[in-house]
Amino acid sequence: MAVDYAVIVVYLAGMLAMGWWGMRRAKSKSEFLVAGRRLGPWMYSGTMAAIVLGGASTIGGVGLGYQYGLSGAWMVFTIGLGLLALSVFFSARIARLKVYTVSEMLDLRYGGRAGVISGVVMWAYTLMLAVTSTIAYATIFDVLFDVNRTVAIILGGAIVVAYSTLGGMWSITITDMVQFVVKTIGVLLLLLPIAVVKAGGFSEMKAKLPTEYFDPLGIGGETIFTYVLIYTFGMLIGQDIWQRVFTARSDSTARWGGTVAGTYCLVYAIAGAVIGTAAKVMYPKLPSADAAFATIVKDELPVGVRGLVLAAALAAVMSTSSGALIACATVANNDIWSRLRGVVAKDGHGEAERDEVKGNRAFILVMGAATIVISIALNDVVEALTVAYNLLVGCLLVPILGGLLWRRGTAAGALASVAVGGVAVIGLMAGYGILANEPIYYGLLASLATYVVVSLATKPTDPAVLSAWRERLAGRGTEDPATPDPVTA
């Protein structure tokens, strides 16, 4: 394992070095939170693919393939569909707003009365996303170094917190590009073909496994529908995803770069399911489906390659964790803390701008420490992630998409929709169970009905607010003084 250890250590050291490099570039709020809004198509595509394909998509995706066969690809596939929908239909408008958070968008659209409540919901979602990603370190470091769960979480979490705190989005962007390359080589170019060959090829896999393992809908129509509601729609509204859209240097970068990333996710989904199906042939009686990834890597890959593939899994986890962490800190500082203090953040230069960088850096450090502590205390990752996505979609999907698509939507309708959707989701989870499908089904319907009824029953949004909103959507009056000309960036 010495060679494998060396590969991992070099990789982790490189992540910290990227954090130090990013610190030297992140001199303004725009640079620190959204990489100066100047990422080109290739870097944007790589970092967007890296953040949405985390530990759940890699380790969990292989586990679903082990359990259900090729239809196990649906979870990650719906993530890719969501990213494609976001990129094609909404990303250009989102990028033109030149904001930092989803709550700022809601304030612009509805007249400044939805920010704190939506910020609290988004903060809870991003915190749980960071926690579940951090817990995944335990699985990977257990395979690598045979360390206990707490040590693994602290070790992996400390590295992510360190480079994220140092350089903000610039550090995360550069590390995500490295992670994207490592994942592509490790999972798609190495593990996928090796797993299929070790399993005897597709003909042998079909001969040894039941026919339902090769049924595209074998996982069940209801499950696929739930994945669409949670993950496809979740991709449309998550702060972690929107914050990456804000890094694009132009409308076309956001649209086409995101389309490339979404297509990559579809390929990654199929690859994970095939790897899991191959693992089922080789190890038909594993104690847990989620153990399939680690088992096939540990037992079937040669020295050196094993280290690279484990680095790929680590890359998947770290990219999602760092993206969720900076999103959580951005929401906590800009949407909750600053508003409660009555401070309106503005881009600028000089000491005030440097103070904002220091403030956001401090919030990343605090949220990172909280994430590590919660990760150590929490046991059920699936339930935590389900609660986070149910609240996100049940509370915020309708007000956000309604604001983008329906002029008649009002602030009262948005606030009522958030409140009713949240209460419905929480109540239904208590009644049906956290992992049941009913909470998201009925909670989303309640949110939609409330939004429409209350909006129609209340006074339309002030024409001046709508006019300012249309100006922002058109990209007028949103020049960022901290951002250089995209042509020269």
Side-chain angles (χ1 to χ4, degrees), residues 200-261:
F202 284 103
S203 58
E204 187 71 12
M205 291 163 62
K206 287 185 176 181
K208 290 187 176 181
L209 294 174
T211 55
E212 54 264 28
Y213 264 72
F214 301 92
D215 180 358
L217 303 178
I219 198 170
E222 185 177 354
T223 299
I224 295 170
F225 182 65
T226 303
Y227 284 159
V228 170
L229 285 183
I230 294 177
Y231 297 114
T232 301
F233 287 135
M235 288 295 106
L236 299 180
I237 59 175
Q239 169 68 25
D240 52 324
I241 309 302
W242 277 43
Q243 199 156 343
R244 294 311 174 95
V245 175
F246 300 151
T247 67
R249 74 182 182 190
S250 66
D251 295 357
S252 60
T253 295
R255 183 182 298 110
W256 295 111
T259 300
V260 171

Side-chain angles (χ1 to χ4, degrees), residues 52-257:
V52 300
L53 296 174
S57 300
T58 302
I59 298 171
V62 171
L64 287 172
Y66 182 89
Q67 188 173 358
Y68 297 104
L70 298 185
S71 66
W74 273 106
M75 183 187 78
V76 183
F77 204 84
T78 55
I79 291 174
L81 292 177
L83 187 52
L84 284 171
L86 174 71
S87 301
V88 172
F89 298 112
F90 301 109
S91 62
R93 281 183 283 177
I94 292 170
R96 285 196 294 266
L97 290 174
K98 293 292 190 293
V99 295
Y100 292 101
T101 67
V102 174
S103 294
E104 288 182 45
M105 168 264 169
L106 290 173
D107 275 352
L108 283 171
R109 170 59 181 81
Y110 294 112
R113 288 182 286 171
V116 174
I117 295 176
S118 61
V120 170
V121 174
M122 192 64 75
W123 172 78
Y125 157 72
T126 53
L127 179 63
M128 283 299 99
L129 186 61
V131 165
T132 54
S133 301
T134 303
I135 291 173
Y137 296 133
T139 301
I140 301 169
F141 279 105
D142 177 57
V143 175
L144 288 173
F145 305 118
D146 194 26
V147 297
N148 69 49
R149 179 178 182 275
T150 299
V151 173
I153 289 172
I154 293 174
L155 178 59
I159 293 172
V160 170
V161 172
Y163 73 70
S164 300
T165 302
L166 286 173
M169 187 59 82
W170 267 122
S171 295
I172 293 171
T173 295
I174 300 302
T175 54
D176 276 0
M177 275 305 298
V178 174
Q179 289 156 359
F180 171 74
V181 172
V182 170
K183 278 193 290 192
T184 301
I185 296 173
V187 176
L188 297 185
L189 301 184
L190 293 177
L191 183 57
L192 175 61
I194 290 174
V196 172
V197 170
K198 292 282 187 177
F202 284 103
S203 58
E204 187 71 12
M205 291 163 62
K206 287 185 176 181
K208 290 187 176 181
L209 294 174
T211 55
E212 54 264 28
Y213 264 72
F214 301 92
D215 180 358
L217 303 178
I219 198 170
E222 185 177 354
T223 299
I224 295 170
F225 182 65
T226 303
Y227 284 159
V228 170
L229 285 183
I230 294 177
Y231 297 114
T232 301
F233 287 135
M235 288 295 106
L236 299 180
I237 59 175
Q239 169 68 25
D240 52 324
I241 309 302
W242 277 43
Q243 199 156 343
R244 294 311 174 95
V245 175
F246 300 151
T247 67
R249 74 182 182 190
S250 66
D251 295 357
S252 60
T253 295
R255 183 182 298 110
W256 295 111

Side-chain angles (χ1 to χ4, degrees), residues 314-325:
L314 193 59
V317 175
M318 294 178 88
S319 57
T320 300
S321 181
S322 59
L325 177 58

Side-chain angles (χ1 to χ4, degrees), residues 15 17-40 43 47 163-177 243-244 247 326 361 364 482-484 489:
M15 295 301 98
M18 294 298 177
W20 184 261
W21 177 87
M23 183 178 67
R24 302 181 63 182
R25 297 202 61 168
K27 301 298 185 183
S28 69
K29 178 182 178 181
S30 177
E31 295 282 353
F32 190 81
L33 293 182
V34 291
R37 307 187 194 274
R38 51 178 172 166
L39 297 191
M43 185 167 284
T47 57
Y163 73 70
S164 300
T165 302
L166 286 173
M169 187 59 82
W170 267 122
S171 295
I172 293 171
T173 295
I174 300 302
T175 54
D176 276 0
M177 275 305 298
Q243 199 156 343
R244 294 311 174 95
T247 67
I326 193 172
R361 185 173 280 135
I364 291 178
T483 307

